[in-house]
Amino acid sequence: KEEEDKLTEKGVKKVEETGSFLADKKIDIIFVSPFNRTEETAEMVAEKAGIPFDEVVVDERLSEWGVGMEFNGKPIEEYFDVRNKSSDRYGFKIDGGESYKDVLKRAGEFLYDIEKKYSNKNILIISHGATTRALELISNGFSFGSLYEDTRDFKNYDNAEVREINFAPLPHNENYELDLHRPFIDNVELIDENGQSLTRVKEVMDVWFDSGAMPFAQDNYPFSTKEIAFPADYISEAIDQTRGWFYTLHAIGVLMDRGNAFKNVICLGHILDAQGKKMSKSIGNVVDPWEMMDKYGVDSLRLWMYSVNQPGDSKNFDEKTVDEIVKKVFNPLENIVALYELYKDDSVRAGRGSDNVLDRWIISKLDELVLSGTERMDSFKVFEAVRSIRDFVSDFSTWYVRRSRERLKSDNKEEKEKALATTKYILINLVKYMAPFAPFFSDRIYQRVKEESDKESVHLADWPETGSVDPELLENMAKVREVVTKALELRQKAGIKVRQPLSKLTVSENFTKDFLDIISDEVNVKEVALGTSLFLDTSLTEELKNEGMARDIIRSIQDARKSENLNPGENIKLVVFADPQIKKIFEDFSSMIKTPTQVVEISYSTDKQKYNVDILDYPTSISIIK
């Protein structure tokens, strides 16, 4: 064992190199652990540095980490495997061994001992990996809390590596952890510019006094003539500030005979993991905020925090709920903007003057959002003001835009302009409302849809103005959507797809023609009549079946257009290969097929090899000619 403790040939060479490096460092004294290889190292370095060997001091406190006889001669990884599974890896030890807390404690005793005896001396310490790590951690003012959070921020020493540490005593507890509290801070002595000793006064006021005095101190009260801003209109901080900042602001305000320090407060809850546990690196449930921002965008996280629950409640962070925000708010709005840009006409200005029932409805929904949201924000009800954004985006996307898609690309100039003007108006004013809650996303959308006369940024624009909400219109549209939902359920039960026209739907509500047209189009029926109850006539005539086939043909042509990467404005010619029955459907419903698919000519052929054809669901094929 004594032979095993000697330096190897490679070790001797490294020590010689290190000794040469230290020759001009003016070493006054060398401390070394009681091991053959370290004493051998010290002797070689002393010779190179010109230090008499009797100036080399052996100190037991510099010994290698004694992990216990059970692990002697085994790879250190085996010890770590056992230690790291314990509840306290730095306090873990076996019979006859040391914990790493023990190593840190003896290293701290050594370091502070030689500081007292050898002040202003250049001291060389020759020791081992675990002990030199402990010496450096103590010199840097470590805490066990930081070690438990992250043990990989320290690079272990290489063999014969030299590091220079400018040590100064720090306030510390019995384990040599940095501790700036009493009584440890009292051991720190400061010297002023005249060499006079400075010590802490015994009387210390509550440290929160400084924060509580902020309204007065920031304006240099009472020495400044400036009127202080007191009380504040609004304050916001985490819930742990109830006893801290919130209380001391009020307390000092009362002492100064000014009363309450603020009029309104929003207390913020803490963010926990998905199961409601406090996040901790030692447990392994910490979510990296930068990773989440890169994945979902910072505004998605911000909107999630606003809308998941009340501000003061703790927030259980579940990534799935953030993804839901993206899918239900941000993605639909991005899609609406892309659709608007596809069909926009720069000469059409944003406006709310349309007489179309859908346009009037979505504008009234926006008015409702902004009016109620403004009232809620004025009352500091942020959760309710933000939560309604999701509902509005759903209405805007799944009902208004879907119902207005054909109007946006219509040849009817008047209807197209109404739809464009309304869509633009909604987008501009919606992002104005969203700007405080999703600032980056809102400004990006604003830049894409704003007009030349608008402010440079959404954050420079005024809060959206509103008209009066039309409750009757909103109620009637809600009833229409309810009727549509129930009628589609009847279709589903009958096993009839929506593209197949039906003859008649009977409803019990007495709707105006505008609403009846929407119901007719959504349910795909020829007639909507008033009756005593909701009834869908599912009988199919030959003519209805043929029209259903025509609608399937339209769908297939649209799919073919997509596969050909055609733009919405590109007209096409169609070559059809069909049996007589399908050819007749093309002929009978020619106008109906051509208009939405932008087909300008339909021809028929039997020479399939001449064309690259797309197969339809029916015994027919088509070929698109750009």
Side-chain angles (χ1 to χ4, degrees):
K1 286 186 178 178
E2 190 171 315
E3 288 299 319
E4 292 174 4
D5 191 31
K6 288 186 175 294
L7 287 174
T8 63
E9 186 176 334
K10 183 178 179 182
V12 170
K13 186 176 179 181
K14 281 197 169 188
V15 170
E16 287 176 345
E17 293 172 358
T18 302
S20 300
F21 169 75
L22 293 170
D24 61 349
K25 297 296 182 182
K26 298 181 181 180
I27 303 298
D28 296 307
I29 189 169
I30 300 176
F31 282 90
V32 64
S33 74
F35 280 64
N36 288 334
R37 62 181 182 273
T38 49
E39 291 186 32
E40 189 180 348
T41 299
E43 186 174 354
M44 293 172 63
V45 171
E47 183 180 352
K48 290 279 187 182
I51 300 173
F53 189 66
D54 57 9
E55 293 292 324
V56 176
V57 181
V58 177
D59 196 304
E60 290 280 347
R61 292 172 294 185
L62 296 177
S63 298
E64 178 60 288
W65 186 1
V67 296
M69 292 297 295
E70 180 182 336
F71 291 95
N72 267 4
K74 295 181 179 179
I76 191 65
E77 287 75 20
E78 290 189 20
Y79 173 76
F80 285 146
D81 284 344
V82 176
R83 184 199 76 154
N84 292 346
K85 291 175 183 176
S86 70
S87 58
D88 181 6
R89 64 178 184 269
Y90 290 107
F92 172 81
K93 61 181 174 181
I94 62 173
D95 290 342
E98 289 182 298
S99 68
Y100 198 64
K101 283 185 178 178
D102 295 332
V103 178
L104 283 160
K105 193 166 184 176
R106 62 174 162 86
E109 289 173 355
F110 166 79
L111 202 54
Y112 279 84
D113 188 24
I114 65 170
E115 168 63 21
K116 291 177 183 176
K117 295 179 182 177
Y118 301 97
S119 182
N120 298 319
K121 297 289 186 183
N122 289 334
I123 300 171
L124 177 65
I125 301 170
I126 301 175
S127 185
H128 310 273
T131 310
T132 52
R133 181 177 190 265
L135 291 169
E136 188 165 345
L137 286 170
I138 293 164
S139 300
N140 292 335
F142 89 100
S143 71
F144 280 111
S146 62
L147 289 186
Y148 283 117
E149 289 294 318
D150 186 7
T151 61
R152 300 300 172 195
D153 58 351
F154 182 91
K155 184 178 181 298
N156 290 324
Y157 281 74
D158 295 328
N159 287 338
E161 180 185 355
V162 178
R163 294 184 192 175
E164 187 172 342
I165 299 173
N166 295 315
F167 176 72
L170 297 170
H172 60 82
N173 60 21
E174 65 276 7
N175 293 316
Y176 292 90
E177 292 179 275
L178 177 68
D179 196 326
L180 301 176
H181 299 95
R182 297 179 63 189
F184 312 112
I185 192 67
D186 293 336
N187 297 325
V188 176
E189 184 178 302
L190 302 178
I191 306 297
D192 68 12
E193 64 273 14
N194 299 317
Q196 298 296 312
S197 176
L198 301 174
T199 57
R200 184 186 62 78
V201 296
K202 293 181 180 179
E203 296 78 17
V204 176
M205 188 175 285
D206 187 331
V207 293
W208 282 105
F209 178 84
D210 283 349
S211 295
M214 176 275 294
F216 303 93
Q218 69 177 353
D219 289 322
N220 199 26
Y221 180 89
F223 307 106
S224 172
T225 58
K226 182 179 179 181
E227 181 64 26
I228 65 168
F230 197 98
D233 290 320
Y234 160 73
I235 190 172
S236 177
E237 252 294 355
I239 198 166
D240 49 297
Q241 296 295 333
T242 305
R243 157 63 184 86
W245 194 30
F246 296 157
Y247 165 74
T248 51
L249 281 166
H250 277 333
I252 293 173
V254 170
L255 288 172
M256 297 298 292
D257 202 27
R258 297 292 187 109
N260 291 342
F262 46 85
K263 299 175 184 176
N264 300 282
V265 59
I266 291 183
C267 238
L268 305 176
H270 294 141
I271 298 179
L272 310 175
D273 72 4
Q275 283 71 46
K277 296 179 181 177
K278 182 180 178 181
M279 292 188 188
S280 170
K281 286 186 178 179
S282 61
I283 297 176
N285 63 344
V286 173
V287 176
D288 185 344
W290 298 106
E291 183 182 328
M292 292 296 101
M293 289 178 202
D294 289 340
K295 186 172 183 180
Y296 295 107
V298 67
D299 277 352
S300 302
L301 294 177
R302 183 181 284 111
L303 208 67
W304 172 82
M305 291 181 194
Y306 280 127
S307 62
V308 68
N309 58 16
Q310 294 291 347
D313 294 338
S314 297
K315 290 159 179 52
N316 297 357
F317 184 83
D318 188 341
E319 190 176 339
K320 294 194 293 291
T321 58
V322 179
D323 185 54
E324 185 179 338
I325 288 281
V326 174
K327 289 176 179 174
K328 291 190 175 181
V329 177
F330 295 101
N331 287 354
L333 286 176
E334 287 279 7
N335 292 337
I336 292 169
V337 174
L339 181 69
Y340 169 77
E341 289 176 329
L342 194 61
Y343 297 107
K344 72 176 181 177
D345 180 342
D346 290 332
S347 67
V348 177
R349 297 179 60 82
R352 53 180 292 144
S354 172
D355 58 356
N356 181 283
V357 68
L358 275 171
D359 296 338
R360 291 190 294 111
W361 171 78
I362 194 62
I363 287 170
S364 198
K365 290 293 289 184
L366 179 70
D367 290 341
E368 181 183 50
L369 169 73
V370 176
L371 285 169
S372 64
T374 303
E375 183 180 342
R376 288 164 174 172
M377 289 292 286
D378 287 342
S379 302
F380 296 89
K381 296 179 179 178
V382 183
F383 168 70
E384 292 84 354
V386 175
R387 198 64 182 260
S388 55
I389 292 173
R390 184 188 300 194
D391 297 332
F392 179 82
V393 170
S394 176
D395 287 333
F396 187 30
S397 173
T398 61
W399 190 250
Y400 176 78
V401 173
R402 186 177 60 78
R403 291 283 320 136
S404 301
R405 186 181 296 269
E406 294 304 317
R407 296 170 62 217
L408 288 169
K409 56 184 180 180
S410 171
D411 290 333
N412 184 326
K413 188 173 184 295
E414 183 181 357
E415 276 304 307
K416 180 173 183 176
E417 289 182 354
K418 288 178 185 178
L420 284 172
T422 302
T423 302
K424 188 174 188 178
Y425 177 85
I426 297 296
L427 286 170
I428 290 174
N429 286 280
L430 175 60
V431 295
K432 286 180 183 179
Y433 180 85
M434 290 178 62
F437 319 114
F440 298 108
F441 176 85
S442 298
D443 203 44
R444 189 173 74 249
I445 299 299
Y446 181 80
Q447 299 302 328
R448 290 166 66 180
V449 298
K450 74 181 184 74
E451 297 177 337
E452 288 186 13
S453 59
D454 287 333
K455 298 284 187 178
E456 181 183 358
S457 166
V458 72
H459 303 297
L460 300 176
D462 293 333
W463 190 247
E465 295 181 358
T466 62
S468 57
V469 176
D470 186 339
E472 184 179 357
L473 173 62
L474 299 183
E475 184 182 357
N476 284 334
M477 189 65 81
K479 290 178 180 178
V480 165
R481 296 178 73 177
E482 185 179 353
V483 167
V484 167
T485 299
K486 291 179 179 178
L488 292 177
E489 288 174 356
L490 294 176
R491 265 186 173 276
Q492 189 176 21
K493 288 178 182 177
I496 301 173
K497 55 191 177 184
V498 180
R499 286 200 301 274
Q500 173 61 60
L502 294 174
S503 60
K504 189 175 182 179
L505 173 71
T506 302
V507 297
S508 57
E509 292 283 348
N510 188 15
F511 293 109
T512 62
K513 185 179 184 304
D514 287 340
F515 292 118
L516 292 175
D517 288 343
I518 291 174
I519 295 171
S520 173
D521 195 43
E522 278 289 304
V523 184
N524 194 11
V525 292
K526 296 297 182 181
E527 180 189 357
V528 181
L530 181 63
T532 56
S533 62
L534 188 72
F535 175 75
L536 180 67
D537 184 354
T538 56
S539 59
L540 290 173
T541 64
E542 193 66 27
E543 185 178 357
L544 287 172
K545 290 179 181 178
N546 288 342
E547 186 177 341
M549 294 171 73
R551 288 178 180 267
D552 280 338
I553 289 171
I554 292 170
R555 175 66 178 270
S556 297
I557 296 172
Q558 298 289 37
D559 289 341
R561 286 184 65 97
K562 285 182 182 178
S563 65
E564 293 286 339
N565 296 318
L566 294 173
N567 294 321
E570 288 187 75
N571 293 328
I572 59 170
K573 295 180 180 179
L574 205 63
V575 179
V576 180
F577 310 87
D579 61 23
Q581 180 192 358
I582 303 301
K583 183 178 178 181
K584 188 173 188 311
I585 291 173
F586 271 94
E587 291 171 346
D588 290 346
F589 296 94
S590 174
S591 178
M592 174 181 160
I593 292 170
K594 285 180 176 180
T595 301
T597 58
Q598 293 175 278
V599 173
V600 294
E601 181 183 315
I602 300 177
S603 59
Y604 303 92
S605 175
T606 56
D607 187 3
K608 291 187 179 183
Q609 293 183 353
K610 183 180 177 182
Y611 299 95
N612 177 25
V613 298
D614 292 294
I615 306 299
L616 296 177
D617 295 335
Y618 300 102
T620 184
S621 300
I622 62 170
S623 179
I624 288 178
I625 303 175
K626 299 179 186 179

